[in-house]
């Protein structure tokens, strides 16, 4: 069983502050890591797909890094705004997995307080 | 235009009934998926189709049967509904089945079995 763990499960951030959180995954047979942003009452939206060790991706004030050798990815939010409040999901694809199976973590729920 | 659409959005039905959920994508993607959001809010893959061919069939009761009439549609039929089938079901699509591309999710169908 592949475990994808995200920590913390939830965090509160003051508007304007920066924050980061972690996705941990098995370090062997890595294929791809996805990050999704999931607002309440909506559906998950893709942020990044990362495939290479050392990858860094950025979208606006959100960025992500990837370390496949040690099995973790960080997501950073710089200068958090209330609209950044959402659950952030990571999903891992193992090279041995059938087809395109992604295993999702439980998410980090971010609440940005004005 | 909605990229991935699901109908119905809400479905309330009694135990023992048979029901279907429909999914359509207008993105020209080759691959479509069904996910179940379980009681702990995790997204779990159920099925994946690539160009109408079944790629992933997770350990799902055979009361659940996906049908893909063409690559833009993936429907989910559930026979003899049980209380434990109550959940939110998400359809998704991606450009191909390699996991190198992000997945686009539908709005979800909340199924309640009474």
């Amino acid at each position: 069983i592949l475990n994808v763990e995200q920590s913390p499960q939830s965090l509160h951030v003051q508007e304007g502050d920066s924050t980061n959180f972690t996705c941990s995954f098995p370090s062997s047979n890595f294929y791809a890591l996805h990050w999704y942003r999931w607002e309440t009452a909506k559906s998950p939206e893709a942020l990044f797909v990362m495939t290479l060790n050392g990858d860094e991706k950025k979208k606006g004030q959100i960025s992500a890094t990837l370390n496949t050798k040690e099995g973790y990815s960080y997501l950073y939010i710089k200068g958090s705004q209330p609209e950044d409040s959402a659950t952030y999901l990571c999903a891992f694809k193992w090279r041995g997995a059938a087809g395109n199976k992604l295993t999702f973590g439980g998410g980090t729920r971010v609440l940005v307080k004005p | 235009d909605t990229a991935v659409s699901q109908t119905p959005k809400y479905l309330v039905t009694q135990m023992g009934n048979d029901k279907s959920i429909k999914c359509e994508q207008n993105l020209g993607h080759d691959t479509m998926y069904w996910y179940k959001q379980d009681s702990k809010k995790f997204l779990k893959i159920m099925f994946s189709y690539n160009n109408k061919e079944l790629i992933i069939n997770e350990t799902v009761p055979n009361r659940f049967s996906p049908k893909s009439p063409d690559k833009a549609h993936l429907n989910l039929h559930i026979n003899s509904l049980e209380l434990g089938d109550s959940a939110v079901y998400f359809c998704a699509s991606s450009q191909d089945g390699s996991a190198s591309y992000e997945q686009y999710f539908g709005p979800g169908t909340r199924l309640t079995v009474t």
Side-chain angles (χ1 to χ4, degrees):
Chain A
I1 296 176
L2 295 176
N3 283 328
V4 179
E5 297 186 0
Q6 293 187 245
S7 62
Q9 284 189 338
S10 64
L11 60 92
H12 292 180
V13 186
Q14 204 62 40
E15 182 176 358
D17 286 353
S18 297
T19 188
N20 66 83
F21 37 93
T22 311
C23 172
S24 300
F25 50 85
S27 57
S28 58
N29 293 310
F30 174 87
Y31 186 87
L33 187 87
H34 294 212
W35 279 102
Y36 292 85
R37 182 171 177 273
W38 193 356
E39 290 181 72
T40 303
K42 294 188 178 180
S43 50
E45 289 183 0
L47 287 171
F48 308 115
V49 176
M50 308 175 83
T51 56
L52 297 175
N53 184 43
D55 255 356
E56 292 187 22
K57 300 260 181 169
K58 188 175 180 185
K59 189 181 239 183
Q61 298 300 100
I62 301 176
S63 60
T65 61
L66 179 67
N67 184 325
T68 62
K69 295 188 187 309
E70 295 182 41
Y72 64 84
S73 175
Y74 291 135
L75 194 85
Y76 301 87
I77 305 176
K78 184 180 175 184
S80 304
Q81 298 299 309
E83 53 266 31
D84 294 323
S85 297
T87 296
Y88 292 83
L89 296 174
C90 69
F92 168 76
K93 162 82 192 294
W94 172 53
R95 191 169 288 279
N100 42 21
K101 178 181 174 182
L102 288 178
T103 301
F104 280 81
T108 292
R109 188 170 181 177
V110 175
L111 180 62
V112 181
K113 297 180 177 178
Chain B
D1 283 347
T2 304
V4 182
S5 58
Q6 292 178 229
T7 52
K9 195 166 182 181
Y10 300 96
L11 183 54
V12 181
T13 188
Q14 291 185 326
M15 283 175 54
N17 284 349
D18 302 340
K19 290 293 178 186
S20 293
I21 307 172
K22 295 187 176 182
C23 178
E24 177 181 2
Q25 54 97 0
N26 62 7
L27 297 166
H29 288 170
D30 285 344
T31 309
M32 295 184 73
Y33 314 79
W34 276 110
Y35 287 90
K36 180 180 180 181
Q37 184 183 10
D38 66 18
S39 55
K40 294 184 179 178
K41 307 296 184 187
F42 277 73
L43 280 175
K44 295 281 178 68
I45 185 76
M46 299 173 69
F47 302 102
S48 168
Y49 270 73
N50 189 59
N51 267 320
K52 303 194 298 174
E53 182 184 347
L54 181 65
I55 302 295
I56 296 174
N57 185 352
E58 285 295 284
T59 308
V60 175
N62 58 16
R63 298 181 294 103
F64 290 77
S65 54
K67 292 238 176 7
S68 182
D70 56 60
K71 75 173 193 177
H73 295 85
L74 181 62
N75 304 323
L76 184 65
H77 189 75
I78 315 170
N79 288 328
S80 303
L81 278 154
E82 300 178 358
L83 291 175
D85 298 332
S86 295
V88 182
Y89 293 84
F90 287 93
C91 176
S93 71
S94 63
Q95 186 167 325
D96 67 20
S98 69
S100 298
Y101 296 94
E102 64 270 25
Q103 296 185 10
Y104 291 77
F105 285 82
T109 295
R110 182 175 293 276
L111 171 65
T112 304
V113 183
T114 60

